[in-house]
Amino acid sequence: LIHFYKRMQHNKSVEEAQWGRVGNGLNTTNRFLQVYLQTELKAFLPTLPRITDPSHPYVGCLADSKGEPLRFDPDNHPAPPNGDGVQLCFKALPHYETTNTELKPMRQQKFEELNLTGQDKQLMKKQLEGKNQPIPIMDEHELSHLYIQEFYSKQINCDISRLDAGAILNILSKASCFDMELRNQAAIVRDRIRNQWARAIIKDWSLAHMTEAFSEIKKLANLLPNSTNLMTELDDDQF
């Protein structure tokens, strides 16, 4: 009876097998996307200006086009509610709380030394009291975390190679350093494939559904440079 039960555990349904293949395809793609993402963000970061004025409370932080702390992706889209600008989530950084606590006294001191008055004083005071405080971003790994949910602050450090497919696809769909076609396809794979796969509703994974999933994943793969090896591995995962 025990041996029979063990055999039953290993007898996957057709739908379960197809769901598993899609998971393999997502994991395969994620390995390649991690490398691509790291390369692109590493090139992107030095193009972003920083606040260099030593008297500014946010000295060392990335800056927007007005010289203020960068709070939205620098893609020239207006911030909500007037546009669809992507808000950066500094609280997704594993070291956010520690760094923010360390910076708070210095920022308060610089704020007082500025001797601001009227509306300028109120505006700066409001910025310093915000919950999602900008902190200096030192490398592409830290930059990547600004595009994902606060949940990822639980990781031990910022490391793109540790990010799952959901996080990687989020970054690809939001960061303006990526081509719009790639951003749109990453969003499709995230919403229609990865998120549905993660819900693990096995009965939904028919052959048609699996085929559609691989079709969308391969569209994304084809948008990457030197994607031949990835396409070969995806064929192995699917068939």
Side-chain angles (χ1 to χ4, degrees):
L1 184 60
I2 294 175
H3 293 302
F4 174 76
Y5 177 70
K6 288 183 177 179
R7 286 199 304 272
M8 288 295 291
Q9 284 184 312
H10 293 291
N11 288 337
K12 294 182 179 180
S13 67
V14 172
E15 290 79 10
E16 186 177 1
Q18 288 164 174
W19 173 79
R21 289 178 186 175
V22 172
N24 290 339
L26 287 169
N27 287 333
T28 295
T29 304
N30 197 45
R31 285 193 291 106
F32 285 81
L33 291 179
Q34 287 170 341
V35 175
Y36 173 70
L37 184 73
Q38 182 172 347
T39 300
E40 294 300 309
L41 291 185
K42 187 173 184 178
F44 182 45
L45 183 58
T47 70
L48 301 177
R50 290 184 183 270
I51 297 174
T52 57
D53 181 356
S55 67
H56 199 295
Y58 290 99
V59 62
C61 290
L62 299 177
D64 61 20
S65 59
K66 297 180 180 179
E68 294 301 317
L70 187 68
R71 297 176 185 271
F72 289 82
D73 179 88
D75 61 358
N76 298 318
H77 286 205
N82 300 315
D84 61 350
V86 174
Q87 185 173 16
L88 303 177
C89 184
F90 290 90
K91 296 186 75 173
L93 293 161
H95 60 285
Y96 171 81
E97 294 295 343
T98 300
T99 302
N100 188 45
T101 300
E102 293 173 350
L103 290 173
K104 192 171 293 185
M106 178 272 289
R107 288 178 171 175
Q108 183 61 33
Q109 180 180 349
K110 290 183 180 293
F111 168 64
E112 294 171 358
E113 292 174 350
L114 287 174
N115 293 317
L116 299 173
T117 59
Q119 187 175 1
D120 289 339
K121 181 177 182 179
Q122 292 300 317
L123 180 59
M124 179 61 75
K125 186 173 184 294
K126 184 177 180 181
Q127 287 184 2
L128 290 170
E129 292 174 350
K131 293 183 178 180
N132 185 35
Q133 286 292 310
I135 62 176
I137 299 301
M138 307 311 296
D139 58 32
E140 65 274 15
H141 299 281
E142 294 183 5
L143 181 60
S144 72
H145 270 248
L146 301 187
Y147 293 92
I148 53 182
Q149 302 96 317
E150 188 176 339
F151 166 83
Y152 288 93
S153 66
K154 297 178 181 179
Q155 295 199 327
I156 58 175
N157 57 27
C158 294
D159 185 345
I160 291 172
S161 69
R162 292 180 178 271
L163 294 178
D164 59 34
I168 294 294
L169 291 168
N170 256 339
I171 300 165
L172 283 172
S173 69
K174 294 179 178 180
S176 59
C177 58
F178 300 110
D179 180 79
M180 186 57 72
E181 185 179 6
L182 186 143
R183 292 174 65 182
N184 289 338
Q185 188 59 29
I188 289 172
V189 173
R190 178 195 64 203
D191 296 341
R192 298 183 190 175
I193 312 305
R194 191 270 171 186
N195 288 352
Q196 290 186 24
W197 175 87
R199 295 187 187 102
I201 304 176
I202 305 300
K203 65 180 181 180
D204 289 347
W205 287 92
S206 63
L207 177 60
H209 196 175
M210 183 194 74
T211 302
E212 178 188 5
F214 272 100
S215 175
E216 295 297 347
I217 293 171
K218 288 178 179 179
K219 286 179 185 177
L220 177 61
N222 272 321
L223 295 174
L224 301 179
N226 305 316
S227 61
T228 303
N229 290 340
L230 172 54
M231 294 297 291
T232 299
E233 290 196 35
L234 285 174
D235 283 340
D236 291 341
D237 290 334
Q238 182 176 1
F239 303 110

